[in-house]
Amino acid sequence: MALLLEDRKTLNKLNKLLSINPGTLEIIGELEVTTEKEIKEIVEKAKKSFKEWASLTIKQRCKYMKKVSDYIMKNLNNIAELISKENGKPFVEAITADIMPTLELIDYVIKNSENILSSENINLGKWNLLNKKSYIEYEPLGVIGIISPWNFPFSIPMGQIVMALTCGNCVILKHSEHTPFIGLEIEKVFKESGLPQGVFSVITGHGLTGSQLVSSGLNKIVFTGSVSTGKKVMETAAKTLTPVVLELGGKDPMIVLKDVNIDYASSGAVWGAFTNSGQVCASIERVYVHEDIADEFIYEVVKKTSMLKQGIGLDKTTDVGAMISLQQLEIVENHVNEAKSKGAKILIGGQRNLDLPGYFYKPTVLTKVDDSFKIVTDETFGPVMPIMTFKNDDEAIEKANNSIYGLSASIWTKDIEKAKRIASKLQAGSVNINDCLSTYALCQTPWGGYKESGIGRTHGKFGFMEFVQPKHIHVDYNYNTKKFWWYKYSQNTIDMFENFLKFMFSDSKISSSLKFLEKFSKNKTI
Ligand code: NAD
């Protein structure tokens, strides 16, 4: 393992990227890093391609998206295999969490984009009486840079790319240094659909490459990754006033109420905390269970955790795969060790899985933790579930909201009306009642965070809006009558407006309207 890390460091210095399977530590391949000069050329090419691409109708652009979908369907197994190999996730999750949401999103975009992006009339209220009309046209922005993480290496960038392209933008993707071959596969998927040259490109590299893309004069950056990198992206983007969407980390709470179906909720907790090895922005990272049912709930969670099989992603019976890197594994180890040293009780797991060759941490459940522990406050991003208790709903809400993050949250109960009341009080971009995580795959709904979990939204109507410029067009059909607020000004103009305001915004409607009409008749425009 040490040799391999050294190899990676040396290659990085040589402007190369080494991709490995984190489950087996086998080398997948080596790639050249895109240089700054090449990035500039790619950006120029995209800018040139924009005019023609933007001039197509949405229907024409959707035809390309359909070809993208067909290509994915035809190559389902190969794509899923690559995702599982380069990311380390179970093969089944490559299909359910990467490919399925992508196909679903393309279908949604094809069926709904024309309607969502068609021009929209605005009701002008009183001003309608003056025969004025306003409407909005949604115009593409230009060239969009998309910077992606490795955890859902296909579904996250694919969804953003498809929406951005359909809106008429050109796109440049900088994929994660941990999953560069999936980046190339995405390039191929779009190339095979016959997209015109320069409309979509992929660049390869580390953080520096991402930073070079951010400062290359694009029209928007859509970044998905950690809070610390997100802040750097925003700082760099500020220098050129490039707008950003930031989809950042989370520390998502699960609230389990007293009346819950314990069998159902404990299964949900185990899946929500350990799927993708817990490397999900919306993983269940903190559990708050009502104290009256805590023992039974914890017993079920531990029992079900012990039934999980950890292994190589391509082994079709693997439930929990590898972690992406040694660095990520060490963060998990650090959080768990700190918790242990402060008196946490490890009920299962709590250490690396050394029976397997790659970066594996055993699914871990722990209790006797509180918000003085990193495992409760910081994003752990690993297969770890800290469980705490609460006495009443207010305490659960307060504990859930006590975080710098606010991506998603979940409430588990049979009392749906009560859960809705709690949901309204939670500071999170998405609140699930009796489910978790899967709303990311509901492409019809907005995805994004409160607080440090991010800025802006992807998916759904709000996601589309991030990729367009709303242009307001105003028409005055009264093109012969000069406006009464135009020159020239006089005391009469002031009196006219005073009465106009009284008529509009006070109770003395009749007298002010008469006075207004009198002043209006004397008003002189030039
Ligand atoms: P990361 O921040 O380390 O990297 C994300 C991407 O940014 C990578 O492509 C990386 O090369 C690039 N990058 C690094 N430094 C950069 C810089 N200075 N300028 C521009 N780009 C730079 O995150 P990661 O480890 O790849 O992903 C895990 C994180 O992503 C977690 O915090 C997770 O919660 C978050 N995430 C959020 C969402 C969401 O939708 N909110 C989804 C998935 C992952």
Side-chain angles (χ1 to χ4, degrees):
M1 197 185 297
L3 226 190
L4 188 65
L5 279 175
E6 280 317 307
D7 285 349
R8 290 188 105 174
K9 280 183 194 156
T10 314
L11 279 164
N12 289 347
K13 277 188 208 139
L14 294 173
N15 271 333
K16 291 201 171 158
L17 261 187
L18 183 67
S19 169
I20 59 155
N21 177 333
T24 61
L25 301 188
E26 283 160 3
I27 293 174
I28 294 174
E30 193 185 298
L31 283 171
E32 296 282 333
V33 167
T34 313
T35 64
E36 193 166 13
K37 185 170 168 278
E38 287 167 339
I39 294 175
K40 283 188 180 144
E41 287 163 7
I42 289 168
V43 171
E44 280 316 305
K45 212 167 167 189
K47 283 182 179 169
K48 282 195 187 119
S49 308
F50 172 63
K51 204 172 162 198
E52 204 180 320
W53 180 245
S55 73
L56 299 184
T57 62
I58 293 173
K59 245 196 194 97
Q60 285 169 320
R61 293 196 286 262
C62 281
K63 279 191 184 146
Y64 289 99
M65 301 311 136
K66 176 72 175 79
K67 285 185 192 157
V68 167
S69 172
D70 291 345
Y71 180 85
I72 298 170
M73 273 311 292
K74 259 191 227 136
N75 295 278
L76 195 69
N77 269 294
N78 289 345
I79 298 175
E81 240 175 56
L82 174 65
I83 296 170
S84 173
K85 259 165 76 178
E86 203 173 32
N87 170 280
K89 67 177 69 186
F91 183 80
V92 63
E93 289 181 7
I95 291 181
T96 56
D98 273 288
I99 295 179
M100 203 162 79
T102 303
L103 293 170
E104 165 80 5
L105 183 137
I106 297 175
D107 188 50
Y108 161 74
V109 165
I110 291 172
K111 289 183 179 145
N112 295 283
S113 49
E114 218 176 359
N115 183 28
I116 292 173
L117 298 169
S118 60
S119 68
E120 221 175 292
N121 288 328
I122 301 178
N123 186 348
L124 296 177
K126 301 173 184 81
W127 300 104
N128 290 326
L129 297 172
L130 297 185
N131 214 0
K132 286 171 154 296
K133 297 270 177 287
S134 277
Y135 61 95
I136 302 233
E137 272 181 4
Y138 295 107
E139 280 188 1
L141 297 170
V143 183
I144 311 278
I146 293 179
I147 300 178
S148 301
W150 44 264
N151 64 335
F152 291 95
F154 197 71
S155 56
I156 289 178
M158 280 299 296
Q160 296 168 352
I161 297 162
V162 166
M163 288 183 96
L165 289 176
T166 305
C167 290
N169 302 287
C170 291
V171 174
I172 300 169
L173 168 70
K174 201 305 265 174
H175 213 314
S176 168
E177 55 273 41
H178 295 289
T179 46
F181 280 94
I182 299 171
L184 292 193
E185 184 64 27
I186 291 174
E187 186 173 45
K188 191 167 166 203
V189 164
F190 283 98
K191 206 169 178 186
E192 294 290 328
S193 78
L195 270 193
Q197 280 253 326
V199 170
F200 174 67
S201 312
V202 174
I203 61 171
T204 303
H206 307 89
L208 177 64
T209 312
S211 168
Q212 288 164 347
L213 183 66
V214 176
S215 40
S216 67
L218 303 184
N219 299 94
K220 191 158 197 169
I221 291 288
V222 177
F223 170 83
T224 309
S226 60
V227 171
S228 61
T229 313
K231 287 179 182 175
K232 286 185 204 156
V233 166
M234 197 164 174
E235 205 179 320
T236 310
K239 291 182 188 138
T240 46
L241 268 190
T242 307
V244 290
V245 169
L246 301 176
E247 295 284 3
L248 308 179
K251 189 76 190 170
D252 294 358
M254 169 184 195
I255 298 175
V256 188
L257 302 187
K258 198 160 71 172
D259 71 335
V260 81
N261 173 340
I262 290 179
D263 179 39
Y264 177 76
S266 56
S267 293
V270 170
W271 183 78
F274 303 138
T275 186
N276 215 35
S277 273
Q279 302 168 116
V280 187
C281 51
S283 268
I284 289 176
E285 285 233 354
R286 301 177 279 154
V287 177
Y288 299 103
V289 55
H290 193 282
E291 59 181 10
D292 290 0
I293 56 157
D295 287 348
E296 199 185 337
F297 175 80
I298 292 167
Y299 174 82
E300 285 298 317
V301 164
V302 174
K303 186 179 86 187
K304 288 170 185 173
T305 303
S306 73
M307 292 158 75
L308 300 178
K309 181 183 163 194
Q310 194 162 36
I312 310 296
L314 285 182
D315 173 348
K316 303 281 160 66
T317 58
T318 288
D319 295 306
V320 181
M323 304 207 56
I324 193 71
S325 64
L326 184 58
Q327 189 194 16
Q328 198 57 47
L329 192 145
E330 282 171 352
I331 294 172
V332 177
E333 207 163 45
N334 173 287
H335 285 192
V336 175
N337 289 346
E338 190 224 42
K340 268 193 219 168
S341 72
K342 286 183 168 175
K345 191 170 170 196
I346 309 289
L347 302 178
I348 186 167
Q351 55 186 292
R352 293 185 195 199
N353 188 341
L354 298 172
D355 297 334
L356 292 161
Y359 309 128
F360 289 90
Y361 198 85
K362 290 185 180 176
T364 298
V365 179
L366 63 167
T367 54
K368 297 198 187 309
V369 293
D370 63 44
D371 58 14
S372 67
F373 293 51
K374 277 194 215 159
I375 209 147
V376 179
T377 56
D378 295 14
E379 189 180 41
T380 306
F381 223 55
V384 173
M385 191 195 319
I387 306 182
M388 293 156 278
T389 60
F390 64 88
K391 288 184 180 19
N392 56 53
D393 299 346
D394 287 344
E395 188 190 352
I397 293 166
E398 194 193 319
K399 284 182 163 168
N401 286 339
N402 182 21
S403 172
I404 58 160
Y405 298 101
L407 189 55
S408 83
S410 61
I411 306 158
W412 301 70
T413 175
K414 291 175 195 146
D415 187 343
I416 305 293
E417 289 312 311
K418 185 185 197 180
K420 286 184 186 171
R421 287 194 295 276
I422 296 175
S424 298
K425 293 179 183 164
L426 292 180
Q427 297 159 355
S430 298
V431 182
N432 284 276
I433 297 171
N434 294 325
D435 201 357
C436 56
L437 299 195
S438 48
T439 53
Y440 185 82
L442 295 178
C443 54
Q444 304 81 353
T445 64
W447 181 257
Y450 278 32
K451 302 190 265 185
E452 293 206 5
S453 286
I455 296 173
R457 295 291 182 269
T458 50
H459 294 180
K461 184 181 169 189
F462 294 97
F464 271 114
M465 291 301 129
E466 298 285 0
F467 293 119
V468 288
Q469 186 96 263
K471 178 191 271 179
H472 170 209
I473 297 176
H474 179 75
V475 187
D476 197 316
Y477 291 91
N478 250 338
Y479 42 75
N480 287 322
T481 317
K482 292 179 192 172
K483 307 302 167 219
F484 62 94
W485 52 88
W486 289 0
Y487 294 131
K488 247 182 118 15
Y489 300 155
S490 66
Q491 183 58 47
N492 185 75
T493 322
I494 296 168
D495 296 343
M496 177 180 71
F497 275 106
E498 271 180 14
N499 283 293
F500 179 69
L501 293 184
K502 278 184 197 158
F503 167 66
M504 297 283 266
F505 307 113
S506 78
D507 294 333
S508 61
K509 299 272 183 226
I510 296 176
S511 64
S512 59
S513 65
L514 292 174
K515 278 187 196 145
F516 166 70
L517 288 173
E518 182 206 326
K519 301 289 173 189
F520 181 76
S521 65
K522 293 180 189 157
N523 191 41
K524 296 225 175 340
T525 47
I526 54 172

